[in-house]
Amino acid sequence: MRRRILQATLLAVAVTAVVLGLPLGFSALKLVQDITAGDLSTRAQQIATLLDEQIASRRAIDLNAVRLAVPDGARLIVRTQAHDYVYGPDPGEDPLVESVPMVQSGTVTIAAPSAPVRTQQLQVAALVLMLVVLSAGTGMIVAILTARRLADPLRHVAARAARLGAGDFRPDPKRHEVPELDRVADALDASGAALSQLVQRERDLVGDVSHQLRSRLTALHLRLEALAAAEDPEVREEASAALEQAERLAGVLDDLLAAATAARARDAEPLDVSSLLSDVAAEWRDPLKAEGRTLRLKVSDGLLARATPTRLRETIGVLLDNALRHGEGTVTLAARQGSGTVVVEVSDSGSGVPDALVPYVFERGFSGHGSTGVGLALARALVEADGGRLELSQARPAMFEVFLPIARADDILGVPWKIESTPR
């Protein structure tokens, strides 16, 4: 994008330089020649006036009286009815010639060498060229600055849209003072909020439906098991058949829920959690240090999980930001391998979460400290989008745990895969 903006701006500068430079150069060359011609014409007119006075007083023409008006290196030619007079050296080839008539039936001609005029024209042309180059250079600097001012915000907005597509619905407060791009950023924030609410409602609905169906199927299963133990053979047979259908229905429900979870986590990939957490810790040490606090990293080597790098990075960033804003003392970022999961812990030494707020910490729009109440809700949504979960495992002091599905070699059909970590 920056290259295209730069090329377009430089093309406009080049066209402007050519369109303005050529006429300006031609006009400058013509102006030098006109000034020289005008000076020769003025001198010839002055000489003609002096010679007319000599002729009118019936004196012989004396060119010595007018030699001061003849330019250096030029030749003066005076033609009268009786005689032609010449003063000065030969001006060479292609001289500049100016003639004026005399009142007393004659002409005064001055022929000046063209070399000095050509030299002045070359100097003026060089000056015009220098101005054009200076203008082009200034335009190039302006083009580079303009391209950077437009390209960087465009890349930022594109990255924001990519994060939104990856499931990061957090608003981005950064604006670029470009009205059009700022409107796009506002629209992305509004879309992110709407998508977050939509996804959350969908997950809540799926959870509620799943819970209700499981409860009803469990009750139905118990009733059918009781009927399957009846003495009547026909009742037992029908109950057994119904019990088999109920079990199949429960299996279909499990398959649908597993498919929904897998669809949400389709962007997850085998990820080196140890490397990613080290990068995140390096980013957050300075902000914590600025507040007089420290960050302790306790991560085992070789922790491999299935997750989306951007989602996990944003989730850990939300938890560390929460510890920075609402916690106290040392912040600990730890990771270990659990039973079939990789567990990431973020804790601090503060007073923790009040008991009355514990049930609501992950609800969107709820905050006990005057913030927006969006971060933790979105962090949980990001983790759940990859098939994991986020829990408040300890209220005082606060400890949040992220449970990620462990990566296995058969995650990609048994083909060996390469562990990749996100760039800093």
Side-chain angles (χ1 to χ4, degrees), residues 189-240:
D189 286 345
S191 300
L195 288 174
S196 175
Q197 294 175 0
L198 179 62
V199 170
Q200 190 62 43
R201 286 198 298 267
E202 177 188 353
R203 289 172 181 159
D204 292 342
L205 177 61
V206 171
D208 293 341
V209 171
S210 172
H211 177 73
Q212 294 297 326
L213 287 177
R214 288 183 183 278
S215 299
R216 299 300 182 269
L217 283 174
T218 301
L220 179 61
H221 194 276
L222 293 176
R223 296 292 300 273
L224 291 175
E225 285 182 345
L227 290 175
E231 297 180 358
D232 190 338
E234 293 183 1
V235 174
R236 287 200 306 271
E237 183 179 357
E238 293 295 332
S240 298

Side-chain angles (χ1 to χ4, degrees), residues 168-171 280 283-284 310-326 331 346 348 361-362 372-383 390 400 402:
D168 180 6
F169 303 129
R170 288 196 302 168
V280 173
E283 295 175 1
W284 280 89
T310 55
R311 291 174 181 171
L312 182 57
R313 180 182 290 271
E314 291 298 328
T315 299
I316 304 303
V318 168
L319 298 179
L320 291 175
D321 182 68
N322 187 71
L324 173 62
R325 292 173 180 270
H326 310 305
V331 177
V346 178
D348 61 78
V361 291
F362 293 108
T372 60
V374 174
L376 291 177
L378 286 177
R380 169 173 276 189
L382 292 174
V383 174
L390 171 61
F400 291 89
V402 179

Side-chain angles (χ1 to χ4, degrees), residues 297-379:
L297 181 64
K298 299 170 57 179
V299 178
S300 304
D301 294 331
L303 294 178
L304 309 178
R306 284 193 59 83
T308 305
T310 55
R311 291 174 181 171
L312 182 57
R313 180 182 290 271
E314 291 298 328
T315 299
I316 304 303
V318 168
L319 298 179
L320 291 175
D321 182 68
N322 187 71
L324 173 62
R325 292 173 180 270
H326 310 305
E328 298 175 0
T330 301
V331 177
T332 302
L333 176 60
R336 55 184 172 82
Q337 185 165 333
S339 178
T341 61
V342 172
V343 184
V344 181
E345 300 174 351
V346 178
S347 60
D348 61 78
S349 305
S351 58
V353 182
D355 295 337
L357 302 182
V358 171
Y360 310 105
V361 291
F362 293 108
E363 289 190 6
R364 183 180 181 87
F366 182 85
S367 174
H369 298 84
S371 60
T372 60
V374 174
L376 291 177
L378 286 177

Side-chain angles (χ1 to χ4, degrees), residues 35-58:
I35 291 175
T36 303
D39 179 63
L40 292 178
S41 179
T42 301
R43 290 173 179 269
Q45 188 64 49
Q46 292 174 350
I47 294 173
T49 301
L50 293 175
L51 294 179
D52 282 334
E53 291 177 354
Q54 291 180 3
I55 295 174
S57 61
R58 300 183 181 279

Side-chain angles (χ1 to χ4, degrees), residues 162 165-167 261-270 306-311 385-386:
T261 301
R264 290 199 304 267
R266 67 182 183 276
D267 295 329
E269 61 186 38
R306 284 193 59 83
T308 305
T310 55
R311 291 174 181 171
D386 284 340

